[in-house]
């Protein structure tokens, strides 16, 4: 099976994962790895416009890592994960979507200004 994309974590995601219990972190990372090879909406789902989320339900806790696609390099497709949260309600907080979109915008501004 071939991977559909690579995943890169921004600093805030690394911090979020570091603060989880080891088993929870392992499950989140396992699901992200699994999502790279499948089209499973239970693992990786589009939320709004350009924002997606990695989804993990483990021990009755909903973990979400926000992400966006970077298809600018012809050699590889990369999903950039911006930040994570433990979801407490059915609705995704609008502020978290806006935060992911801001990070996405900054990411591409920096990327294209460095060229």
């Amino acid at each position: 099976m071939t991977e559909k994309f690579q995943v890169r974590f921004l600093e805030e995601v690394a911090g979020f994962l570091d603060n989880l219990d080891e088993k929870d972190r392992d499950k989140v990372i396992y699901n992200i790895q699994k999502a790279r090879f499948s089209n499973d909406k239970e693992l990786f789902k589009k939320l709004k416009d350009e924002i997606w989320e990695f989804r993990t339900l483990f021990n009755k806790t909903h973990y979400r890592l926000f992400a966006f696609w970077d298809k600018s390099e012809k050699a590889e497709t990369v999903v950039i994960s911006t930040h994570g949260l433990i979801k407490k309600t059915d609705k995704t907080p609008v502020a978290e979507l806006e935060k992911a979109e801001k990070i996405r915008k900054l990411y591409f501004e920096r990327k294209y200004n460095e060229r």
Side-chain angles (χ1 to χ4, degrees), residues 19-33:
N19 287 325
L20 297 179
D21 290 340
E22 187 178 355
K23 283 185 178 180
D24 296 4
R25 179 177 50 248
D26 289 349
K27 182 63 175 178
V28 170
I29 290 171
Y30 172 80
N31 279 354
I32 289 169
Q33 298 298 358

Side-chain angles (χ1 to χ4, degrees), residues 46-85:
K46 185 173 187 174
L47 290 178
K48 177 182 177 230
D49 301 328
E50 304 295 328
I51 304 303
W52 291 63
E53 70 178 355
F54 287 106
R55 307 157 53 93
T56 299
L57 172 60
F58 186 65
N59 288 338
K60 299 182 182 169
T61 304
H62 295 270
Y63 298 96
R64 298 294 188 259
L65 296 182
F66 294 90
F68 60 88
W69 293 82
D70 179 354
K71 298 179 183 179
S72 60
E73 306 297 324
K74 289 185 175 42
E76 63 182 5
T77 299
V78 180
V79 172
I80 309 294
S81 186
T82 60
H83 67 290
L85 63 87

Side-chain angles (χ1 to χ4, degrees):
M1 216 167 17
T2 57
E3 71 177 12
K4 300 181 183 317
F5 54 85
Q6 292 190 2
V7 179
R8 295 217 179 96
F9 295 141
L10 296 182
E11 208 172 304
E12 194 172 328
V13 174
F16 174 77
L17 291 172
D18 285 346
N19 287 325
L20 297 179
D21 290 340
E22 187 178 355
K23 283 185 178 180
D24 296 4
R25 179 177 50 248
D26 289 349
K27 182 63 175 178
V28 170
I29 290 171
Y30 172 80
N31 279 354
I32 289 169
Q33 298 298 358
K34 203 167 149 187
R36 292 173 47 217
F37 295 92
S38 69
N39 286 330
D40 186 343
K41 284 187 169 62
E42 291 301 310
L43 298 175
F44 188 56
K45 177 181 170 187
K46 185 173 187 174
L47 290 178
K48 177 182 177 230
D49 301 328
E50 304 295 328
I51 304 303
W52 291 63
E53 70 178 355
F54 287 106
R55 307 157 53 93
T56 299
L57 172 60
F58 186 65
N59 288 338
K60 299 182 182 169
T61 304
H62 295 270
Y63 298 96
R64 298 294 188 259
L65 296 182
F66 294 90
F68 60 88
W69 293 82
D70 179 354
K71 298 179 183 179
S72 60
E73 306 297 324
K74 289 185 175 42
E76 63 182 5
T77 299
V78 180
V79 172
I80 309 294
S81 186
T82 60
H83 67 290
L85 63 87
I86 294 174
K87 200 166 172 194
K88 304 210 184 304
T89 64
D90 286 344
K91 288 213 178 256
T92 301
V94 173
E96 300 299 335
L97 286 168
E98 289 171 352
K99 178 177 179 177
E101 187 56 53
K102 273 185 196 151
I103 293 169
R104 178 185 173 276
K105 198 173 165 193
L106 256 172
Y107 169 88
F108 284 112
E109 281 173 10
R110 286 188 184 140
K111 182 170 185 164
Y112 293 118
N113 285 339
E114 287 174 5
R115 290 184 173 177

